[in-house]
Amino acid sequence: MKYVNYNRVPVKHTDPDERVRSLDIRTLVPYTIEEVTAEASRCIGCGLCVEGCPARIDIPGYQIAVANGDLAEALKINFEKLPFVGVCGNVCPHPCEDHCVLDDNNGPIATRHVKKFVAENVEDYGETLKIVRNDLGGHPRVAVIGGGPSGLTAAFYLSINGIQVDVFEATDRPGGMMVHGIPSFRLSRDLVRKEADHIFSYGARIFYNTKVGRDIKFEDLMNEYEAIYIAVGNWSPSRTRTKGEELKGVYHALEFLGRVNAGERIEVGDTVAIIGGGFTAFDAARLSLRLGAKRVVVMYRRAATDRPGYPSSNADEELEEAEEERIEFMWEVTPFEYVGENNHVKAIKYWKNRMVDTGRGRREPEPMKDREFVINVDTIIEATGQRGDLSFLPEDIRNKIDMTPSGDIIVNQYNMTTYPGIFAGGDITNRRKDIISGVADAGRAVMGILFFLKERGKIEKIPAKLINFENGPYPRTSAFR
């Protein structure tokens, strides 16, 4: 009798000394067919992982398909909720794995890595999926503002349901932060282009270098389209306002990552300091090594256990990969001055912090100002967050859209704002601000848009499912379908 081995199949890493020499060497080594089959076979089909996935993908269904050697069905099951299978197979924070019932014993199923295998071993999505487009009895027009993961997901599911979709993208490429923010050593640009091209193969159009509010008025979109989906992301950097931040050699991570991802090679010198402890800070730190830095130090005001994203398996993995590359960490510190010489940064003055329990969640840092410390640096990168820019909205419309105190748009269960016909999703609406959450927002918004269009007589019916295929997939884990 043959028994399943419930030990997790290790996810291997490329040699850190080799990978830091290139912008294109990936960290994770793909599974072999034998490895992915063994790993997917560990799934017991309980479905706890589905509760952890913002998009509610039928994870047990595609694990079973992979275990049976049916990659086409695995791809279809993913596409029921997710058109960026390859992207999420590389960079999803995989909260599903933290819900895996096997996490307490032999390690959670490597869901993201299995997904990565599926995407990388299906060359032609269109030929494999054979999507059957729905005819809803009308072809109204919908505008999508923003060509990132949430905007493109909405464009995909709307277009396969017969809706005419125009995407307005402010930059020269599709993908949003997938191409302008995430470094290429984590996410292949060819992969993003492959999945974006597949999305647009169903009829949606995209207008590049077209910023709403600058190149086209929002009011014009209101007049020309039956509904609007706002998925502009968060592109305005939040700065620390530290004394000396105007010095040369001081960047915000958004600017730094964007310029390097656009092909510029920034001279960072020997020593780089990253201010912040989130995933963007880790990206900036690891990218600095690949630009030639000999020492990279991440400085964060809280403890390691209070950093963004912790506790999670993804946060553990990010830290492990950074430590493999010999990135240093200074926890519980507060920089208070950037010191310059000849108008270029040369050092950081900082205090050490004590962590204070305020009774309101995670502990708060309190600088101990009785003693100052100094670290010499050549470059400083502030990875201290970003916010959305909704200045393109006319004042009369903006005043009718409810927002949080921090400026995020408030939406209902179908991601419609308090202004009828205007929907929103992605980083501008949700707390997680990651790709899979933006995809989930888009799925809800598509259903909301279709309900809205039907109520106004623009379409005749609502589809039973947003996506259908010529052949299957057939139910495998019916409790989650």
Side-chain angles (χ1 to χ4, degrees):
M1 182 178 292
K2 185 177 180 180
Y3 296 92
V4 173
N5 182 352
Y6 278 101
N7 292 318
R8 178 178 169 124
V9 178
V11 177
K12 301 171 185 175
H13 295 179
T14 54
D15 185 282
D17 292 330
E18 290 294 326
R19 68 182 189 239
V20 297
R21 298 175 187 172
S22 170
L23 292 173
D24 298 315
I25 297 179
R26 312 282 178 263
T27 301
L28 305 181
V29 178
Y31 275 150
T32 63
I33 184 62
E34 292 80 13
E35 289 172 331
V36 79
T37 302
E39 183 63 13
S41 296
R42 297 175 62 222
C43 180
I44 62 174
C46 69
L48 291 178
C49 51
V50 180
E51 293 302 312
C53 176
R56 299 296 190 263
I57 296 169
D58 179 12
I59 298 167
Y62 82 76
Q63 298 286 0
I64 293 169
V66 171
N68 290 334
D70 193 342
L71 297 187
E73 177 148 333
L75 187 72
K76 292 175 183 178
I77 291 171
N78 273 280
F79 258 86
E80 290 182 328
K81 301 290 181 65
L82 173 68
F84 288 106
V85 182
V87 168
C88 284
N90 281 271
V91 296
C92 184
H94 55 75
C96 54
E97 295 186 22
D98 296 321
H99 286 67
C100 180
V101 72
L102 300 179
D103 191 21
D104 291 337
N105 296 294
N106 305 98
I109 294 174
T111 300
R112 181 178 68 185
H113 217 49
V114 173
K115 190 189 302 285
K116 174 183 172 72
F117 183 91
V118 172
E120 292 181 351
N121 286 275
V122 176
E123 184 174 344
D124 189 329
Y125 283 0
E127 181 61 29
T128 301
L129 295 171
K130 291 184 169 59
I131 293 173
V132 178
R133 304 190 198 192
N134 290 324
D135 183 359
L136 306 182
H139 305 284
R141 303 176 71 201
V142 172
V144 174
I145 305 175
S150 193
L152 295 186
T153 297
F156 173 70
Y157 290 108
L158 286 169
S159 60
I160 64 174
N161 281 282
I163 308 301
Q164 300 181 64
V165 182
D166 287 340
V167 180
F168 297 91
E169 168 55 39
T171 73
D172 61 349
R173 287 170 287 170
M177 286 297 179
M178 296 187 294
V179 293
H180 297 287
I182 300 175
S184 58
F185 66 84
R186 290 190 62 216
L187 183 59
S188 163
R189 298 299 176 258
D190 290 340
L191 174 59
V192 177
R193 173 61 74 171
K194 168 189 173 181
E195 299 196 325
D197 286 348
H198 173 252
I199 287 171
F200 289 115
S201 70
Y202 296 96
R205 302 188 301 177
I206 186 166
F207 298 90
Y208 297 113
N209 300 308
T210 305
K211 186 173 183 178
V212 176
R214 181 193 66 192
D215 304 302
I216 186 171
K217 293 181 179 180
F218 187 83
E219 300 95 309
D220 293 340
L221 300 185
M222 293 280 289
N223 292 330
E224 296 176 20
Y225 296 88
E226 303 296 339
I228 297 174
Y229 183 58
I230 300 173
V232 293
N234 287 346
W235 290 82
S236 296
S238 299
R239 302 303 298 258
T240 63
R241 299 185 178 180
T242 301
K243 182 180 179 181
E245 73 169 12
E246 75 284 351
L247 293 168
K248 292 181 179 178
V250 180
Y251 304 90
H252 189 275
L254 279 184
E255 174 197 3
F256 179 76
L257 293 167
R259 287 169 59 178
V260 175
N261 284 329
E264 182 178 348
R265 190 167 186 90
I266 296 176
E267 295 296 328
V268 296
D270 290 339
T271 304
V272 177
I274 312 296
I275 313 300
F279 297 135
T280 301
F282 281 66
D283 281 348
R286 298 178 66 192
L287 183 58
S288 296
L289 283 178
R290 287 155 175 80
L291 294 175
K294 296 178 181 177
R295 183 189 184 200
V296 178
V297 182
V298 174
M299 306 177 71
Y300 185 53
R301 61 193 180 121
R302 290 187 166 92
T305 52
D306 293 318
R307 70 189 189 274
Y310 184 89
S312 69
S313 57
N314 187 61
D316 290 340
E317 292 162 2
E318 293 265 1
L319 183 60
E320 177 187 1
E321 292 166 15
E323 289 179 337
E324 285 179 350
E325 296 172 5
R326 300 184 183 87
I327 288 172
E328 302 174 34
F329 294 88
M330 296 175 61
W331 307 108
E332 301 178 30
V333 296
T334 294
F336 65 88
E337 182 180 351
Y338 303 152
V339 181
E341 185 177 89
N342 297 324
N343 202 35
H344 195 285
V345 68
K346 73 169 188 176
I348 298 175
K349 291 183 179 180
Y350 65 95
W351 297 302
K352 292 186 178 181
N353 300 333
R354 65 167 62 92
M355 301 307 295
V356 179
D357 188 353
T358 63
R360 299 191 303 269
R362 65 178 177 171
R363 298 175 300 167
E364 291 297 323
E366 182 181 279
M368 296 182 288
K369 300 183 180 180
D370 57 321
R371 186 179 177 189
E372 298 179 359
F373 299 85
V374 178
I375 178 174
N376 294 324
V377 299
D378 300 296
T379 297
I380 297 172
I381 302 170
E382 294 186 343
T384 47
Q386 54 270 351
R387 59 190 184 280
D389 178 8
L390 297 171
S391 60
F392 61 87
L393 290 173
E395 185 176 359
D396 62 322
I397 294 176
R398 187 164 60 247
N399 290 339
K400 295 178 182 178
I401 295 178
D402 289 349
M403 298 185 190
T404 67
S406 61
D408 286 351
I409 297 175
I410 296 174
V411 296
N412 66 12
Q413 70 270 31
Y414 288 113
N415 277 71
M416 187 163 75
T417 70
T418 47
Y419 194 110
I422 299 179
F423 298 75
D427 290 357
I428 200 66
T429 65
N430 69 61
R431 291 184 178 183
R432 290 186 57 89
K433 303 190 186 304
D434 54 30
I435 292 172
I436 192 63
S437 298
V439 166
D441 286 341
R444 289 188 292 269
V446 167
M447 288 305 301
I449 290 169
L450 294 179
F451 281 125
F452 178 81
L453 294 174
K454 185 176 184 297
E455 288 174 359
R456 279 152 181 76
K458 303 301 179 181
I459 57 176
E460 297 174 358
K461 58 184 178 180
I462 302 295
K465 294 177 64 175
L466 285 179
I467 188 169
N468 292 286
F469 311 98
E470 286 186 12
N471 299 298
Y474 301 103
R476 290 187 183 274
T477 55
S478 57
F480 309 104
R481 299 298 288 276

